[in-house]
Amino acid sequence: MVQSSPPFLRIGTRGSPLALWQAHETQRRLAAAHGVPLEAITITVIKTTGDAIQDRPLAEVGGKGLFTKEIEQALFDETIDLAVHSAKDMETALPDGLVLTACLPREDVRDAFICAKAKTLAELPAGSKVGTASLRRGAMVKRLRPDIEVVSIRGNVDTRLRKISSGEVDATLLALAGLKRLGIADKAASVFDAETFLPAVGQGAVAIETRAGDSRTRELLAAIDCRDTRIALTAERAFLGALDGSCRTPIAGHATVDGERLALRGLIVKTDGSVAHETSRAGTVGEAEALGADAGAELKARGGAGFFAG
């Protein structure tokens, strides 16, 4: 009997439509870069705790690491070689022995407004319900429209769109990147300007995690790594890390890279939208981590110990 050859690489991912798009795009890019057939790179769907718990806000049950814990365990168990994540789902500090090795080119970072009753947030009638699982989006909506009720809704993109159709909520906000990747950007009534509605750290970025000591996989991933996205993400994650950021805190941050220059904007907002602090940094790409950390430390000091209490 002919023995089948082992996979060239093994990808681990969540099973949502968006997660599968990200995994298949990574598979396609790796196969093209290394001249191997698609089927030589396997994709394993791993159910995470975050997928299993849909009835409570993530902040109540352990934070965004619930979307990565089981996949990271598969890396440690060496049943997969690389984990493909939405960058904004990743914990600020990765487990010892795991590293963020590569990023795909970043999609549009902006937030989309989804509503059948109004074109924009400004046009939404007073007292309307906006559903979101994101404390950042909720706080920023309250900052712009304190007369609107923000309620917590969970689920993948399709689930949230159904909650609009059923009238459970009047509007929601979703990452435009995800809508574009799923081919449903036309569902957006409008798109927020990133200057006035700063996105989440990592929004629009696909991050690839590996074992730190797996030099073969890390070298293979170098062929598809988007340098500018990885550098921007380095600055944003350092900003988040200095703030001890998680999905329990309303934090926004976005970095852009232009050649050897980097620019970063960061924002913290009280959960009720009543107070916000913003800062910015600019420097060289080699300073990405330091610039992010410095911006985060500034806002942490300006906000003070009780800033995120409510």
Side-chain angles (χ1 to χ4, degrees):
M1 192 168 98
V2 178
Q3 192 75 24
S4 62
S5 57
F8 180 72
L9 281 169
R10 300 165 300 169
I11 296 171
T13 179
R14 292 170 60 204
S16 72
L18 184 54
L20 289 172
W21 182 95
Q22 294 173 166
H24 283 288
E25 180 67 7
T26 302
Q27 178 195 46
R28 185 188 68 76
R29 287 174 179 269
L30 281 166
H34 297 292
V36 300
L38 277 179
E39 57 270 22
I41 301 171
T42 61
I43 294 175
T44 299
V45 173
I46 299 168
K47 183 146 188 172
T48 69
T49 306
D51 296 312
I53 299 172
Q54 292 291 331
D55 59 342
R56 284 163 286 167
L58 286 180
E60 291 180 8
V61 289
K64 57 189 174 181
L66 296 175
F67 284 126
T68 59
K69 185 173 59 174
E70 287 83 358
I71 304 174
E72 289 174 334
Q73 187 58 52
L75 279 173
F76 283 125
D77 294 342
E78 299 192 14
T79 57
I80 61 171
D81 302 307
L82 58 141
V84 178
H85 306 289
S86 291
K88 67 180 181 177
D89 286 344
M90 298 180 77
E91 288 275 40
T92 314
L94 300 185
D96 288 344
L98 300 183
V99 289
L100 200 166
T101 293
C103 293
L104 300 190
R106 199 169 200 170
E107 231 322 340
D108 199 314
V109 301
R110 294 176 295 168
D111 287 293
F113 180 69
I114 317 292
C115 183
K117 300 177 178 178
K119 182 80 173 168
T120 66
L121 179 67
E123 295 172 13
L124 205 56
S128 296
K129 284 186 180 180
V130 173
T132 179
S134 161
L135 286 184
R136 173 191 63 90
R137 289 178 178 137
M140 293 178 76
V141 165
K142 293 294 285 183
R143 184 185 181 202
L144 294 171
R145 289 290 309 273
D147 58 328
I148 281 176
E149 183 183 357
V150 174
V151 297
S152 177
I153 60 169
R154 290 278 314 284
N156 62 29
V157 171
D158 285 342
T159 301
R160 297 187 206 195
L161 291 175
R162 279 199 300 273
K163 290 183 179 184
I164 298 290
S165 301
S166 69
E168 184 177 330
V169 293
D170 298 303
T172 190
L173 282 71
L174 295 170
L176 182 59
L179 298 180
K180 284 187 170 185
R181 286 168 174 153
L182 294 172
I184 53 172
D186 60 342
K187 299 288 186 184
S190 59
V191 178
F192 290 94
D193 184 279
E195 295 299 308
T196 55
F197 207 95
L198 202 61
V201 164
Q203 188 149 304
V206 176
I208 304 173
E209 187 181 23
T210 67
R211 292 180 293 278
D214 185 357
S215 56
R216 174 184 178 268
T217 299
R218 296 183 71 185
E219 286 166 10
L220 291 170
L221 283 167
I224 67 164
D225 180 41
C226 176
R227 166 193 176 267
D228 288 0
T229 300
R230 182 170 39 77
I231 290 169
L233 196 56
T234 297
E236 292 173 21
R237 286 175 61 79
F239 168 73
L240 195 63
L243 285 161
D244 302 321
S246 71
C247 69
R248 298 175 182 83
T249 51
I251 297 168
H254 179 225
T256 55
V257 174
D258 184 6
E260 296 304 308
R261 301 294 298 174
L262 177 138
L264 169 75
R265 288 179 61 225
L267 176 78
I268 57 174
V269 193
K270 283 189 78 71
T271 51
D272 63 0
S274 61
V275 183
H277 298 291
E278 185 170 354
T279 192
S280 61
R281 293 291 186 279
T284 67
V285 294
E287 300 172 296
E289 190 167 358
L291 290 168
D294 189 58
E298 179 199 329
L299 291 190
K300 188 173 186 178
R302 284 169 62 188
F307 187 82
F308 297 112

